[in-house]
Amino acid sequence: MAIETMRTRSKPSSPALLGRFGPYGGRYVPETLMAALEELEREYEKARRDPSFQRRLDELLRTYAGRPTPLFLAGRLGRQLNGAKIYLKREDLLHTGAHKINNCLGQALLAQRMGKQRIIAETGAGQHGVATATVCALLGLECVVYMGTEDMRRQELNVFRMRLLGAEVRGVESGSRTLKDAINEAMRDWVTNVRTTHYLLGSVLGAHPYPSMVRDFHKVIGRETRKQVLEAEGKLPAAIIACVGGGSNSIGIFYGFLKDSSVKLVGVEAGGCGPALGEHAARFSGGLPGVLQGTYSYVLQDAAGQVANTHSISAGLDYPSIGPEHAWLKHTGRAEYTRASDQEAFEACLLLARTEGILPALESAHAVAEVVKRAPTMKKSAVIVVNISGRGDKDIGILREHLDLNGSAGTLARERDGVQ
Ligand SMILES: *Cc1c(COP(=O)(O)O)cnc(C)c1O
């Protein structure tokens, strides 16, 4: 469906009301889910305005998740790149190792408030499943996580971790046995059990109100960063860089600076191993507008409109669609989007590990790869903030395989010689 038709039909005036970001977003779901989404929207609006809900969420973010996270001056990395001053927003230090806990705590508290004792979620690599299982244990909620059996095989440790936390992991055998099949199964469950069950979606995707609600739960990242960078530097940064899977950590940090037109907002997608369809997950380089899983945004698709396969070294960026608000930020030019390849992310990961003693998640390493390209071209007085969305412990296996492919001894020596 062309953007123009969408725009005239939906006449977006208040995105909050219609769930639209320009022409993007919306609520493309079967009739049977409409009531559930309307209830969720209503209840979320009430919770959002309720000081006691916000107080409880803030308290858990502080005492359980570990907020505020530090803003760290990466001095050795900055000197090595010989350009802009680089700060890292340390979301990797949060409980469960990534920003995902911000959203999981928010939605689980909301479910509890709505009287729903059962949580379902979908997971690809297992990171969202683990964060969901964690908050369900914390709040005493029943937890069922849908996961493709191919992903279960690849992420055995996370499956075990979820089970340790008391969650039930249900394997999905249909389709390619990966994330999109797990989402379809979770939707089916929700339709059947909607009265007792909340679907805890993991990124700024899906039908309205999810993209706005999940964004709101991550805005704390940008709020903290803005305050911290002003304290440290007495001025705003020239650029904010974040990786974009579904788009939640990036939209969270972008929102703190959306109205500061001098601050460049840069999203980094997965460039994978090549430019052909199927080799990457760069929706803005190879995708077209379309509807996937309840929302209208950019989708990687073939000529017939069938959803394309994607590839990335990092599971968290490996998804054929992107949050609809990002499509709008790109459309208006407020944010720019670029890509980093598997190899660039891998090298950036090693570089950060060896210059700063921080092993980032491979997702976050895509943002680091962009700072490696950009910082040397900038003035020394300029400041860049990179969002380190998560830690790299989960990626040790992939990193080891990749080092072997690169010839581990050679790569290690070269890297060591390059970083003094
Ligand atoms: C899940 C994940 C991502 C990608 O999700 P977004 O919604 O784009 O933030 C990025 N980094 C880490 C560490 C993740 O776990």
Side-chain angles (χ1 to χ4, degrees):
M1 199 181 300
I3 297 178
E4 271 59 39
T5 14
M6 291 295 304
R7 199 184 285 143
T8 46
R9 195 180 296 172
S10 64
K11 287 215 173 40
S13 51
S14 165
L17 205 66
L18 298 166
R20 292 278 179 189
F21 310 96
Y24 302 106
R27 188 180 275 164
Y28 296 85
V29 295
E31 204 71 48
T32 40
L33 278 180
M34 285 306 276
L37 288 164
E38 280 162 7
E39 181 198 16
L40 181 60
E41 180 183 10
R42 228 174 15 247
E43 292 299 318
Y44 173 59
E45 278 307 310
K46 275 193 240 157
R48 200 162 70 88
R49 297 199 171 88
D50 180 351
S52 70
F53 178 80
Q54 290 299 342
R55 244 194 327 273
R56 177 83 177 118
L57 178 56
D58 288 349
E59 182 193 347
L60 287 177
L61 286 171
R62 198 163 34 82
T63 61
Y64 185 73
R67 301 214 74 92
T69 59
L71 185 72
F72 171 70
L73 173 62
R76 266 169 50 79
L77 178 66
R79 278 195 295 284
Q80 161 122 355
L81 295 174
N82 196 26
K85 210 165 171 181
I86 300 164
Y87 282 89
L88 310 178
K89 180 61 172 163
R90 301 289 313 274
E91 293 295 293
D92 58 311
L93 294 177
L94 288 172
H95 183 42
T96 67
H99 67 290
K100 288 189 168 77
I101 193 93
N102 299 328
N103 168 50
C104 288
L105 278 172
Q107 283 195 53
L109 280 180
L110 181 61
Q112 209 173 37
R113 188 187 150 102
M114 290 167 74
K116 303 203 173 181
Q117 283 297 313
R118 181 172 179 268
I119 300 286
I120 56 169
E122 81 295 334
T123 198
Q127 293 306 112
H128 175 58
V130 169
T132 303
T134 300
V135 299
C136 287
L138 171 73
L139 299 177
L141 300 168
E142 186 188 340
C143 181
V144 175
V145 178
Y146 287 93
M147 191 170 187
T149 47
E150 176 58 21
D151 286 336
M152 284 176 75
R153 191 185 57 76
R154 288 189 293 203
Q155 304 290 338
E156 221 185 310
L157 214 60
N158 273 340
V159 173
F160 183 58
R161 199 172 290 166
M162 287 183 263
R163 288 179 172 151
L164 281 177
L165 290 161
E168 181 192 339
V169 181
R170 287 195 190 160
V172 177
E173 290 281 0
S174 56
S176 55
R177 304 193 192 104
T178 58
L179 180 61
K180 57 180 174 3
D181 314 295
I183 296 177
N184 290 336
E185 254 338 282
M187 290 284 230
R188 221 160 282 151
D189 181 318
W190 204 31
V191 170
T192 317
N193 302 299
V194 71
R195 289 176 61 189
T196 57
T197 301
H198 174 68
Y199 181 10
L200 205 163
L201 210 126
S203 190
V204 286
L205 293 161
H208 180 62
Y210 283 104
S212 311
M213 178 174 72
V214 175
R215 174 202 66 207
D216 289 351
F217 289 137
H218 284 299
K219 284 201 294 201
V220 63
I221 308 172
R223 231 174 9 245
E224 284 175 11
T225 304
R226 195 171 192 284
K227 187 162 165 274
Q228 289 167 323
V229 75
L230 284 173
E231 261 166 32
E233 291 290 328
K235 66 173 182 186
L236 289 169
I240 303 285
I241 302 178
C243 66
V244 191
S248 67
N249 84 89
S250 49
I251 208 97
I253 194 165
F254 286 179
Y255 249 70
F257 303 89
L258 212 56
K259 294 189 183 117
D260 305 307
S261 57
S262 67
V263 181
K264 276 205 174 107
L265 306 176
V266 185
V268 187
E269 295 182 279
C273 57
L277 200 62
E279 291 179 339
H280 63 85
R283 288 67 46 106
F284 288 138
S285 309
L288 287 167
V291 169
L292 183 64
Q293 272 140 7
T295 193
Y296 180 66
S297 184
Y298 272 69
V299 181
L300 284 166
Q301 51 191 294
D302 66 16
Q306 291 298 303
V307 177
N309 288 325
T310 51
H311 163 81
S312 171
I313 191 175
S314 63
L317 305 187
D318 197 354
Y319 184 71
S321 183
I322 184 168
E325 194 166 10
H326 285 287
W328 184 235
L329 289 176
K330 171 163 171 69
H331 185 108
T332 59
R334 179 62 193 95
E336 55 183 285
Y337 295 84
T338 173
R339 53 201 275 173
S341 69
D342 286 353
Q343 184 65 24
E344 287 167 338
F346 171 71
E347 284 169 13
C349 186
L350 288 188
L351 179 65
L352 190 63
R354 283 157 198 194
T355 50
E356 303 291 354
I358 296 169
L359 188 65
L362 278 168
E363 289 83 0
S364 322
H366 285 69
V368 178
E370 178 60 22
V371 88
V372 169
K373 295 174 198 167
R374 201 172 278 249
T377 70
M378 295 170 68
K379 284 191 298 220
K380 288 230 162 85
S381 58
V383 169
I384 308 187
V385 179
V386 185
N387 198 26
I388 305 299
S389 52
R391 69 175 83 119
D393 308 38
K394 69 182 177 61
D395 295 322
I396 298 284
I398 299 166
L399 287 167
R400 185 161 57 191
E401 270 173 35
H402 217 78
L403 265 183
D404 289 344
L405 282 178
N406 277 260
S408 51
T411 309
L412 283 169
R414 268 199 310 284
E415 288 290 327
R416 196 175 48 235
D417 295 344
V419 181
Q420 292 306 325

